Amino acid sequence: MIRAANELLVTIRQIHAAIRDEVVATCERSSLAALSEIVAEQAGDTIFAIDRISEQVLLQHFAQLSSRWSFVLVAEGLGEDGLMVFPPEIDPARAELVIIIDPIDGTRGLMYQKRAAWILTGVAPNRGAATNLSDIELAVQTEIPLVKQHLSDSLWALADQPAQGERYNRLTGESIPLHAQPSQAPTIAQGYGNISRFFPGVRAELATIDDELVRRTLGPAEAGKVQAFEDQYICSGGQLYELMMGHDRWVADLRPLAEPLLTARGQASGLCCHPYDLCTELIARKLGIIVTNEHGAQLSAPLDVSTNISWIGYANDAIHAQIAPTLKTLLTQYLLLKA
């Protein structure tokens, strides 16, 4: 178990608050063009000017954290390998912890002020290269609100404690408890859920599977009636939040499974979900949400910035039972999953 885990939790939540406040302040005083300027291409993703703001605050605070814990920090933007050791003189193999963080998950939506983004952090005991998502024992995610939004939610969990949450009012400075409650609905009917298809390339195939999944699950639609809804939140932390708050009943991000289709067409590989995007899934599982990979097993990807991940989230056991078998059948039928 993580030494002094509750103390570490408090410190990480303070770091999240500092990142959130600096990013919001910068959004208030900067133009869209300045925030959306591309400054680098690293670890398979694009780094925008707004990302650099969070990285500066992150490094400053994590340097201070190293006076109490030794750790390997894993984050997009920390050089080509996405790794940095604290304190810098220590052998990475002897570091106590691995801390993986996404300083801004949902950069694109935030910099255009379309949707809130999230700061994501997961902490695991250091087991070297074998350390993976299933080892995470502390997770925190904090909302970076839009400029016009005065409330900011945060949720956290420790491996041996229930998940908790807080809603912060950035106008008054007050905070109140936030009680997350995933949907208890026994069906996807009249609820939100979807297969993620954010970018051009294989949206048609993924949409076909999504449509067929709903048809096989709920039957043919009646004239003038809608069976279910979807909401494409381009942010994995945001998708987990929507499940945790009961807004969505299921979500599947299967982009890596569609990569062979792009390759066969001679198209460049697309942008996929990475371990830092899902480093807070412990919180969701603590709330009773079922989070799996494409084969139905618990996520266990290495803590790096490059591994592509497929994942599926179900709000409860009933939704899992309704969706999972049909989804697996369709993925096999459409050759995205081997039989």
Side-chain angles (χ1 to χ4, degrees), residues 8 58 77 115 130 183 195 202 245 274 277 290 293 315:
L8 180 59
L58 178 152
R115 201 150 191 179
S183 173
I195 295 176
V202 290
M245 297 304 294
H274 297 128
D277 294 308
I290 301 168
N293 63 16

Side-chain angles (χ1 to χ4, degrees), residues 193-215:
N194 63 269
I195 295 176
S196 300
R197 45 191 187 279
F198 305 136
F199 311 117
V202 290
R203 286 190 291 202
E205 289 82 358
L206 294 174
T208 297
I209 296 173
D210 198 337
D211 285 346
E212 183 64 14
L213 175 67
V214 173
R215 190 192 67 78

Side-chain angles (χ1 to χ4, degrees), residues 98-171:
V98 176
I99 301 179
I100 184 168
I101 180 168
D102 191 343
I104 306 182
D105 182 32
T107 298
R108 292 162 179 81
L110 183 67
M111 69 188 185
Y112 288 108
Q113 288 295 295
K114 291 176 67 67
R115 201 150 191 179
W118 292 84
I119 308 162
L120 311 177
T121 301
V123 185
N126 184 15
R127 297 189 174 92
T131 314
N132 65 67
L133 284 171
S134 64
D135 295 317
I136 288 176
E137 296 181 357
L138 185 163
V140 185
Q141 68 175 73
T142 301
E143 187 176 18
I144 305 177
L146 301 176
V147 168
K148 66 180 183 180
Q149 176 184 338
H150 72 288
L151 299 177
S152 166
D153 290 351
S154 60
L155 299 108
W156 62 89
L158 292 167
D160 59 349
Q161 298 178 25
Q164 299 182 64
E166 181 180 274
R167 177 161 288 173
Y168 169 71
N169 186 322
R170 67 187 188 92
L171 299 182

Side-chain angles (χ1 to χ4, degrees), residues 46-255:
T46 302
I47 308 298
F48 296 96
I50 191 174
D51 292 308
R52 292 300 191 211
I53 300 161
S54 60
E55 290 167 13
Q56 293 167 3
V57 179
L58 178 152
L59 292 175
Q60 173 189 345
H61 284 273
F62 273 98
Q64 298 171 1
L65 188 69
S66 66
S67 64
R68 184 77 171 84
W69 291 270
S70 62
F71 55 91
V72 177
L73 182 65
V74 182
E76 190 180 39
L78 300 181
E80 288 301 319
D81 59 359
L83 301 177
M84 189 172 287
V85 182
F86 291 84
E89 65 273 9
I90 195 172
D91 180 351
R94 299 181 65 84
E96 182 179 359
L97 306 170
V98 176
I99 301 179
I100 184 168
I101 180 168
D102 191 343
I104 306 182
D105 182 32
T107 298
R108 292 162 179 81
L110 183 67
M111 69 188 185
Y112 288 108
Q113 288 295 295
K114 291 176 67 67
R115 201 150 191 179
W118 292 84
I119 308 162
L120 311 177
T121 301
V123 185
N126 184 15
R127 297 189 174 92
T131 314
N132 65 67
L133 284 171
S134 64
D135 295 317
I136 288 176
E137 296 181 357
L138 185 163
V140 185
Q141 68 175 73
T142 301
E143 187 176 18
I144 305 177
L146 301 176
V147 168
K148 66 180 183 180
Q149 176 184 338
H150 72 288
L151 299 177
S152 166
D153 290 351
S154 60
L155 299 108
W156 62 89
L158 292 167
D160 59 349
Q161 298 178 25
Q164 299 182 64
E166 181 180 274
R167 177 161 288 173
Y168 169 71
N169 186 322
R170 67 187 188 92
L171 299 182
T172 66
E174 298 175 330
S175 297
I176 60 173
L178 176 68
H179 302 290
Q181 176 60 66
S183 173
Q184 299 304 301
T187 174
I188 65 170
Q190 298 304 307
Y192 277 92
N194 63 269
I195 295 176
S196 300
R197 45 191 187 279
F198 305 136
F199 311 117
V202 290
R203 286 190 291 202
E205 289 82 358
L206 294 174
T208 297
I209 296 173
D210 198 337
D211 285 346
E212 183 64 14
L213 175 67
V214 173
R215 190 192 67 78
R216 293 191 187 186
T217 302
L218 302 179
E222 298 181 32
K225 294 184 178 180
V226 178
Q227 296 170 302
F229 315 99
E230 71 166 36
D231 178 28
Q232 299 281 335
Y233 196 161
I234 311 180
C235 168
S236 301
Q239 289 176 313
L240 288 171
Y241 172 81
E242 296 296 282
L243 285 168
M244 291 188 278
M245 297 304 294
H247 302 161
D248 288 357
R249 298 182 190 177
W250 70 283
V251 64
D253 186 344
L254 308 170
R255 284 174 284 166

